[in-house]
Amino acid sequence: MIDRRTFLALTAGVGTATLLPGLGKAWAAAGTGTRRLVVVFLRGAVDGLNVVVPHGDSAYYEARPSIAIARGAEGFLDLDGHFGLNPALIDMQPLWRERRLAFVHAFGSPDPSRSHFDAQAMMETGTPGNAGARVGWLNRLASSLPHRGTTADAISLGPTTPRILAGPAPVTNVDAGPNAGRPIPLDRPQVNDAFARLYDGDDAMSRAFHEGQQARRQILADLEQEMQAADNGAPSVNGFPAQAKRLASIVRRDSAIKVAFVALGGWDTHVNQGSSRGQLANRLQALGQGLATFTKELGPTLDETVILVISEFGRTVRENGNGGTDHGHGNVMWAMGGPINGGAVYGDWPGLATDRLYQSRDLAVTSDFRTVIATVIERHLGLPDATLAKIFPEIPQPQAPYERLLNA
Amino acid sequence: MIERWLRLGLALAVLSVSGAGVFAATAPDTPEHRALHLLNRIAYGPRPGDVERVAAMGVDKYIDQQLSPRSIEESPKLLQRLGELKTLRMTPPQLFDRYEPHPVFGRRPTPDEAKAIREESRIIVREAIEARLLRATMSERRLEQVMTDFWFNHFNVFVGKGLDRLWIGSFEEQAIRPHALGKFRDLLGATARHPAMLFYLDNWQNSAPGSHGPGGREFGLNENYAREIMELHTLGVDGGYTQADVIALARIFTGWGLPRGLRLAKGSSDNGFAFDASRHDKGTKTFLGHVIQPNGIAEGEQALDILARSPATAHHISFQLAQYFVSDNPSPKLVDALAKTFHDTDGDIREVLRTLFKSDEFWASDSAQAKFKSPYEYVVSALRLADVTIADPRPVAGLLAQLGMPLYGCQTPDGYKTTSDAWLNPDAMTRRVNFATALGAGRTRIANPDMAPDSATPLDADHLIAALGGDVTPKTVAAVNAAPRPLKAALVLGSPEFMTR
């Protein structure tokens, strides 16, 4: 096994070489802005070994004769000589070169569950071992940040509040999905005026009504600016680029929002997942486009924003009999944004030789999700240890190893 | 509340100007007002004519009737619709056998076969949703519907957790509904033995350490159900139990589960429950101060007795009922009164509710409209007021999902909240008003899936107001009067007073 320090030293060199002057540091000076955390959850357990491909590990190719991402034309995009990016994620390459994108590999939860439901619950509540916990860690984080104004501190795309945001801090749900632009009755001035007369007081219902109207106007204004019509009826991840643009617009304009969350489905690739092309590649392409759009649309706000992409667990190292992969353990986390010390793959790479695998079948977890995320929160949002301990109870110590993930 | 009566008086004045002089005079504490309040709380609001009917018979008689649902003749139209739902009366083993891809004659189904069976299995959830919505809107047994939803939510299971997609309807039909107004102990016992609960809270895997669990694997102790039954179903989080009690109860419940290898069609009870003595922890346990001698499955029944009869349970259930039926912050006096009835009647839900519905707090003037309706309550009450017969439940289910309250879709065991802070938010108001507008304009396909878009007939706002016993604010009346015809009914359905109960 490569020792962690060696590994970081190896990757750090690559990063420095690609650093563009002036980028990635601006956030440190921007004390007046709002620092934000955006979490993208890939529900269904994305195959991290085909996202950030360990091409330097020969066991990878042995285990995946038909689905491995090959070298050469249409092959992986090399990151650091050991890892490469799925070519469907070519839209992520500029961010990598700008050192605003990093990965932490062999990342995940210490809990052995391979149930989507339980593993998502535990990763969203930050409580491995207890799938029944009610309050999400992102909600605990939102409660820990200074509250501004009357609106919610946290925003979630989609109609329901996900577990990660469940809890006491106020959360706004915005449906910015493919149907968000469809006309609704309240868009008509006549309807709007009539109800505005009913809700013209200072009571809670009236305030909620007017905030809803404001949010709606914002979405419509954004839609008007968009060149293309919404991608009607598209499955979740394929609609992500349009959704991402709307989310970016909301996050950029509303300084009260410090926490945003979006979940994307369609990653449970048990059958025919493909390699450089195919089902998984198609979804990754939409994801990459969406994230590239999101970071671009954020504009200068990106300097104050960290975006994390996580998934409940990884998938088996070995491909199954149906050209797919089954539920596994370790995965890869993505981190991007101005504050990220990008251009590097972080973490202890445990290797894919059978004796290095978790239960002889899955990528082991060497980076506990709580430790990594707590470090990001601590460094990026400046929260003290006592608060971190509330957000992630029973967090394993120490957190220092991941400090390099953020710019000094 | 003076303001309320004032505005009622004004409403009448304005109404007579608008030519809607059909309403009986409404004064403070009229029979109509009491009828509307009661219907809002225990019936998901009135259908047209209900306020008059309940006012005429008197609220006390209506309460007594509703507390004995089997004495109420059910709507024949509803019974006919329910009769068409083929999975509604199937037991968990039958559902598993028919709708879960499992080895037939030792051969595993191919991925395509499995996919086809899973596709077919969606009918179960569809029918459960249809049955729930039809009953919620049409049933004459109003309180039974309210309490079935209340208890389902109290003993929540989630349709998205594995096999529970097969058993969600059966759980409601066979574990919850029969006991919704019965003895709490029976309700608790029925949920404890239902496969949907055993699976959702993992007790089917809960095994004495070292024993072999379902499928031959060693699972060991699983505390999930033991914890939730105390925290959520019975004692409450401050109910005075310790981690040692959680472990003791988990040991008591070892072996309570599903048949080995999930052979649900054979060797299991009618509902699929099976006790596996070989996985049961045979030691002596100390649970909540009681020494539980080794006694197999009887230990679990003894523990359920202890939990059902604990004063903490009486208090916890009473608080939740008071919060649901009266106020987000119910008075300790009311909760204590309910807990006393709970205790005196050995957990007779019917009698606890009788105490509740006859309490001063339930009828206090500041109790009226004090609860912000949950999305489910809002949608069901709007469909009832609009006198809609649901022909296609899908748009209703979709609307509930959009409003953040998908039927059977609450992931966590604590169920949906019943307080306004959970539901009153900007997005919710926008969506409710949009729904009210579509419903008021007659532009929904809920009642008529094949309706042509241009053939919509707006509902009559005066009829809606009459169905509410004329109990709307002057502001709403003014808005209705000022609005064009297709919008008038929408303003009643989307009014602040209709958002609350």
Side-chain angles (χ1 to χ4, degrees):
Chain A
M1 191 196 309
I2 306 175
D3 139 274
R4 197 196 58 81
R5 282 168 197 277
T6 327
F7 185 60
L8 284 183
L10 264 169
T11 54
V14 180
T16 314
T18 52
L19 174 65
L20 295 182
L23 289 177
K25 301 282 182 191
W27 68 278
T32 52
T34 305
R35 296 194 184 174
R36 300 171 177 89
L37 180 67
V38 179
V39 176
V40 179
F41 203 112
L42 307 182
R43 293 200 194 280
V46 69
D47 181 20
L49 292 173
N50 271 15
V51 173
V52 175
V53 180
H55 63 79
D57 200 320
S58 59
Y60 169 76
Y61 290 99
E62 288 157 22
R64 299 186 160 205
S66 75
I67 63 163
I69 310 293
R71 301 165 194 278
E74 289 201 21
F76 58 79
L77 311 166
D78 185 43
L79 293 174
D80 60 2
H82 183 76
F83 292 106
L85 201 57
N86 188 306
L89 288 169
I90 191 157
D91 292 311
M92 293 280 91
Q93 220 172 16
L95 277 172
W96 173 267
R97 292 196 175 126
E98 291 162 16
R99 295 196 64 206
R100 288 164 175 247
L101 168 64
F103 297 98
V104 179
H105 224 319
F107 166 97
S109 170
D111 191 274
S113 175
R114 290 189 180 94
S115 143
H116 293 299
F117 175 75
D118 287 342
Q120 286 175 24
M122 290 185 272
M123 192 166 274
E124 292 183 68
T125 54
T127 53
N130 178 12
R134 324 264 184 261
V135 178
W137 65 260
L138 215 42
N139 192 287
R140 288 195 293 270
L141 170 63
S143 320
S144 308
L145 297 170
H147 183 68
R148 280 193 208 171
T150 56
T151 50
D153 306 303
I155 186 169
S156 165
L157 285 195
T160 59
T161 302
R163 182 92 69 105
I164 198 168
L165 274 167
V171 176
T172 298
N173 302 318
V174 171
D175 187 357
N179 295 328
R182 274 213 298 229
I184 59 172
L186 267 174
D187 293 343
R188 300 206 303 274
Q190 206 177 35
V191 179
N192 203 313
D193 292 351
F195 278 101
R197 273 196 292 277
L198 273 185
Y199 291 100
D200 64 351
D202 190 33
D203 56 294
M205 273 190 274
S206 295
R207 285 200 305 273
F209 177 81
H210 285 284
E211 281 175 26
Q213 290 298 92
Q214 276 169 21
R216 177 69 190 167
R217 277 193 288 273
Q218 187 63 61
I219 285 176
L220 291 181
D222 293 343
L223 277 174
E224 243 172 68
Q225 290 171 5
E226 276 176 35
M227 299 297 287
Q228 292 170 318
D231 190 4
N232 262 322
S236 53
V237 72
N238 293 337
F240 184 52
Q243 230 182 351
K245 192 165 179 180
R246 263 163 247 151
L247 180 64
S249 157
I250 295 166
V251 169
R252 194 176 63 225
R253 286 173 214 212
D254 190 344
S255 66
I257 290 172
K258 293 169 285 273
V259 168
F261 178 79
V262 57
L264 301 168
W267 308 101
D268 197 13
T269 50
H270 287 282
V271 180
N272 295 333
Q273 73 173 57
S275 57
S276 294
R277 291 184 187 186
Q279 280 190 61
L280 178 62
N282 291 342
R283 283 168 198 150
L284 287 174
Q285 189 178 13
L287 175 64
Q289 283 168 356
L291 289 169
T293 305
F294 185 68
T295 51
K296 184 166 150 264
E297 291 290 318
L298 278 182
T301 309
L302 181 62
D303 292 338
E304 299 171 332
T305 304
V306 168
I307 303 145
L308 303 179
V309 182
I310 57 178
S311 193
E312 67 265 33
F313 45 70
R315 308 192 71 84
T316 46
V317 173
R318 198 159 288 284
E319 69 180 65
N320 65 23
N322 299 314
T325 45
D326 297 317
H327 299 181
H329 195 54
N331 206 330
V332 65
M333 182 196 82
W334 322 22
M336 63 201 93
I340 293 297
N341 182 18
V345 181
Y346 293 90
D348 267 329
W349 180 246
L352 296 181
T354 307
D355 62 338
R356 296 291 185 191
L357 298 182
Y358 177 73
Q359 297 179 350
S360 308
R361 51 172 261 170
D362 301 331
L363 176 63
V365 170
T366 55
S367 290
D368 186 303
F369 75 100
R370 296 166 296 176
T371 314
V372 180
I373 295 170
T375 310
V376 172
I377 292 172
E378 182 186 25
R379 297 292 304 268
H380 175 49
L381 300 169
L383 293 181
D385 285 353
T387 310
L388 288 177
K390 277 186 206 154
I391 296 169
F392 290 110
E394 297 171 39
I395 184 169
Q397 299 291 341
Q399 293 152 39
Y402 301 97
E403 281 180 357
R404 290 181 49 90
L405 183 56
L406 289 102
N407 291 315
Chain B
M1 264 302 107
I2 288 174
E3 194 192 319
R4 179 179 180 83
W5 310 133
L6 197 63
R7 72 191 191 205
L8 277 175
L10 281 172
L12 287 169
V14 181
L15 279 171
S16 53
V17 172
S18 76
V22 293
F23 310 118
T26 317
D29 278 328
T30 60
E32 286 78 15
H33 174 60
R34 288 167 67 83
L36 176 65
H37 176 59
L38 184 64
L39 288 162
N40 277 343
R41 290 288 166 90
I42 77 166
Y44 297 129
R47 272 194 180 263
D50 283 354
V51 169
E52 286 163 354
R53 194 164 57 83
V54 175
M57 76 162 72
V59 289
D60 288 336
K61 185 167 177 212
Y62 186 73
I63 290 170
D64 289 343
Q65 273 187 2
Q66 290 296 323
L67 284 170
S68 301
R70 274 156 224 175
S71 72
I72 305 169
E73 200 183 327
E74 191 52 288
S75 147
K77 225 164 66 177
L78 171 65
L79 293 177
Q80 189 213 325
R81 290 285 301 274
L82 294 177
E84 292 162 7
L85 306 177
K86 61 177 184 176
T87 63
L88 198 60
R89 276 160 297 274
M90 287 172 75
T91 64
Q94 290 168 339
L95 290 162
F96 182 87
D97 208 38
R98 171 66 185 80
Y99 291 110
E100 174 63 16
H102 58 89
V104 185
F105 307 119
R107 180 179 73 80
R108 285 173 67 86
T110 66
D112 282 345
E113 286 168 347
K115 198 176 162 196
I117 296 172
R118 289 221 170 81
E119 200 66 40
E120 282 184 75
S121 77
R122 292 180 188 200
I123 189 176
I124 301 170
V125 180
R126 259 202 327 267
E127 292 196 339
I129 288 174
E130 181 162 354
R132 169 66 88 85
L133 291 173
L134 289 176
R135 280 170 163 144
T137 50
M138 297 168 78
S139 172
E140 298 296 334
R141 300 170 179 177
R142 302 308 308 150
L143 183 60
E144 181 188 291
Q145 313 316 319
V146 172
M147 289 312 295
T148 298
D149 178 58
F150 177 89
W151 289 123
F152 186 98
N153 198 52
H154 181 84
F155 293 101
N156 184 51
V157 297
F158 173 50
V159 71
K161 180 159 172 173
L163 292 173
D164 272 12
R165 75 182 189 286
L166 302 175
W167 297 329
I168 203 101
S170 158
F171 182 69
E172 176 164 319
E173 227 27 49
Q174 288 142 28
I176 302 286
R177 183 178 300 282
H179 308 290
L181 287 155
K183 289 274 192 173
F184 181 76
R185 173 65 180 84
D186 295 337
L187 178 62
L188 183 66
T191 58
R193 287 167 175 258
H194 196 281
M197 182 63 78
L198 292 162
F199 191 83
Y200 176 60
L201 289 178
D202 305 325
N203 205 73
W204 72 292
Q205 298 178 331
N206 181 22
S207 311
S211 68
H212 291 281
R217 276 191 288 165
E218 271 190 40
F219 282 106
L221 216 55
N222 188 312
E223 299 171 11
N224 201 5
Y225 180 61
R227 184 182 309 281
E228 304 300 8
I229 193 177
M230 289 197 282
E231 176 180 333
L232 300 173
H233 301 166
T234 59
L235 306 176
V237 67
D238 301 318
Y241 59 91
T242 64
Q243 176 59 25
D245 292 316
V246 173
I247 293 171
L249 187 55
R251 291 174 59 209
I252 289 167
F253 280 132
T254 46
W256 283 53
L258 306 169
R260 274 178 182 259
L262 290 171
R263 291 182 188 283
L264 276 156
K266 315 165 193 165
S268 53
S269 69
D270 285 350
N271 86 337
F273 171 82
F275 175 72
D276 182 349
S278 73
R279 291 193 290 123
H280 184 68
D281 181 323
K282 292 173 185 64
T284 301
K285 297 100 181 169
T286 304
F287 173 59
L288 295 172
H290 302 260
V291 176
I292 310 282
Q293 299 296 343
N295 197 11
I297 190 173
E299 294 168 32
E301 295 297 337
Q302 192 185 347
L304 292 174
D305 287 342
I306 293 168
L307 288 171
R309 285 173 190 145
S310 160
T313 298
H315 186 271
H316 179 57
I317 300 295
S318 296
F319 178 86
Q320 290 194 312
L321 286 168
Q323 189 173 58
Y324 180 80
F325 281 106
V326 178
S327 146
D328 285 2
N329 300 296
S331 76
K333 181 171 158 263
L334 174 62
V335 175
D336 289 346
L338 301 183
K340 182 174 185 300
T341 304
F342 191 102
H343 177 263
D344 293 348
T345 61
D346 197 21
D348 189 327
I349 298 161
R350 178 178 289 108
E351 294 313 313
V352 177
L353 288 176
R354 202 185 302 277
T355 304
L356 175 57
F357 299 150
K358 304 213 162 166
S359 70
D360 292 342
E361 285 87 348
F362 185 83
W363 291 103
S365 56
D366 59 358
S367 159
Q369 318 299 136
K371 293 285 295 185
F372 186 71
K373 288 175 183 171
S374 73
Y376 181 70
E377 290 157 4
Y378 177 70
V379 170
V380 169
S381 64
L383 292 173
R384 282 175 56 76
L385 186 68
D387 209 15
V388 166
T389 302
I390 298 173
D392 183 359
R394 286 172 305 181
V396 185
L399 176 66
L400 288 170
Q402 284 180 352
L403 288 167
M405 201 178 189
L407 266 178
Y408 308 118
C410 180
Q411 291 192 18
T412 49
D414 49 344
Y416 290 120
K417 293 197 171 57
T418 64
T419 49
S420 71
D421 52 2
W423 301 115
L424 177 51
N425 63 63
D427 194 56
M429 290 302 291
T430 305
R431 289 178 189 279
R432 285 184 188 201
V433 165
N434 286 329
F435 168 64
T437 306
L439 184 62
R443 279 188 292 102
T444 82
R445 292 165 190 267
I446 296 168
N448 183 3
D450 305 319
M451 184 188 68
D454 51 358
S455 69
T457 313
L459 307 184
D460 186 328
D462 290 343
H463 287 175
L464 299 189
I465 294 173
L468 293 169
D471 196 355
V472 287
T473 64
K475 200 175 199 169
T476 300
V477 172
V480 169
N481 286 337
R485 200 170 95 82
L487 259 183
K488 286 181 188 290
L491 288 162
V492 178
L493 293 164
S495 67
E497 54 269 39
F498 200 72
M499 298 285 169
T500 54
R501 60 175 171 94

